[in-house]
Amino acid sequence: MRRLLLIICVFSMGSLARAQTAPSLGAAATFAVLGSSNVTCTAPGVISGDVGVSPGVFTNTTGCLVVGTVHQGDPATNSALAALKTAYANALVANNNCNSTLAAAPGANFTEPPGVYCAAAGLTFTNITLTLDAGGNANAVWVFKIGAGLTGTGFQVVMANGGQPCNVYWLVGADSTLTTSTFQGNILAGGPTGSFTSTGGTLIGRVLANGAVTLTGPNVHGTCALAAQGGAGCKNDDDDRDHEGDDDHGEGKRHHKGHHDKDDKDHRDDDRDH
């Protein structure tokens, strides 16, 4: 049975490896799935994170559970789509120097360290495993600049030696189509026709598309998207600030609990007196 799984993560813009620059997503950062014309889920499952679509609609034909907020044609979605276009354009400029040029259709499994990888046209991966080796640096960043579309069939992306899927960015100039693939990274389909379709596979990252987003598959009884912001080993800058107060909150909880324990003891003493 095929399963469709998406894990949506948000990460901290920390130290970046080599020459690559992680895009600043701005208002799009809190969205798990973002599209313009339509967002469609035809596989039962869970989307944990916000879903945004404008001017289209979110079509949920199989009871996809959204653990987040669905935004349709509202200011939040419009701001996020504008932020996606800005992030995409800025990332193309910021990552101008390519560490390597990828073959249009790699013929064998391969491993890449952090860096900027470019393809002037489209990329097609068929039964290929791409290993992203961080070399022990959890802040390592990969940026893939793809001039046209991204197609993957049986395509496996594997993170190694501390690499984080939330630190991987796929800048796709046209449509992205993944079939029975295990994919990791954030899709920024910022081109004019940048749609995204996943059939019967898994994806760990975000799907932010300037076009439509379709999560589908025959006989799929799995998950459309899973993992909330800050989940799956990923975090954002606000998480650090939020957790700075955890000790204080913990002390407050213990203090509050102490009061309850004392109150309970007093009530028990009162009962005995009565």
Side-chain angles (χ1 to χ4, degrees):
M1 181 180 296
R2 294 177 177 175
R3 297 177 63 85
L4 178 63
L5 171 66
L6 284 166
I7 300 185
I8 313 303
C9 311
V10 182
F11 83 107
S12 176
M13 305 290 182
S15 300
L16 305 179
R18 298 175 68 180
Q20 64 277 18
T21 301
S24 176
L25 299 180
T30 62
F31 283 84
V33 178
L34 181 66
S36 61
S37 56
N38 284 293
V39 171
T40 303
C41 184
T42 62
V46 177
I47 298 176
S48 185
D50 290 348
V51 173
V53 57
S54 180
V57 296
F58 176 50
T59 302
N60 181 1
T61 62
T62 52
C64 236
L65 174 64
V66 179
V67 184
T69 302
V70 176
H71 298 270
Q72 298 190 77
D74 63 0
T77 304
N78 294 329
S79 295
L81 286 168
L84 165 62
K85 294 175 184 178
T86 299
Y88 177 80
N90 289 344
L92 291 177
V93 174
N95 296 284
N96 191 43
N97 296 320
C98 301
N99 296 110
S100 178
T101 299
L102 298 177
N109 300 339
F110 62 109
T111 299
E112 297 291 3
V116 179
Y117 298 91
C118 301
L123 275 180
T124 299
F125 297 94
T126 303
N127 299 323
I128 293 294
T129 297
L130 166 60
T131 300
L132 303 180
D133 190 340
N137 179 10
N139 292 317
V141 173
W142 291 260
V143 176
F144 293 88
K145 297 171 59 176
I146 305 171
L150 169 65
T151 302
T153 302
F155 177 36
Q156 314 293 316
V157 179
V158 176
M159 306 305 301
N161 294 321
Q164 299 296 319
C166 298
N167 294 3
V168 181
Y169 291 87
W170 300 82
L171 310 178
V172 185
D175 295 340
S176 301
T177 303
L178 301 176
T179 306
T180 58
S181 295
T182 303
F183 189 82
Q184 302 200 57
N186 299 283
I187 292 280
L188 273 66
T193 61
S195 67
F196 176 87
T197 301
S198 179
T199 302
T202 68
L203 189 149
I204 303 174
R206 292 186 189 86
V207 177
L208 307 177
N210 195 38
V213 176
T214 304
L215 312 174
T216 188
N219 300 315
V220 173
H221 299 285
T223 311
C224 297
L226 177 66
Q229 177 177 337
C234 307
K235 61 183 181 178
N236 61 23
D237 293 330
D238 291 336
D239 290 334
D240 291 332
R241 289 190 292 271
D242 291 341
H243 288 302
E244 286 173 359
D246 283 351
D247 290 340
D248 294 335
H249 287 305
E251 289 297 332
K253 289 176 182 177
R254 286 190 290 273
H255 181 67
H256 187 62
K257 181 178 183 298
H259 276 298
H260 277 296
D261 291 342
K262 182 178 183 300
D263 290 342
D264 290 341
K265 181 179 181 301
D266 291 341
H267 284 303
R268 287 194 298 271
D269 290 340
D270 288 342
D271 291 338
R272 285 195 296 271
D273 291 340
H274 286 297

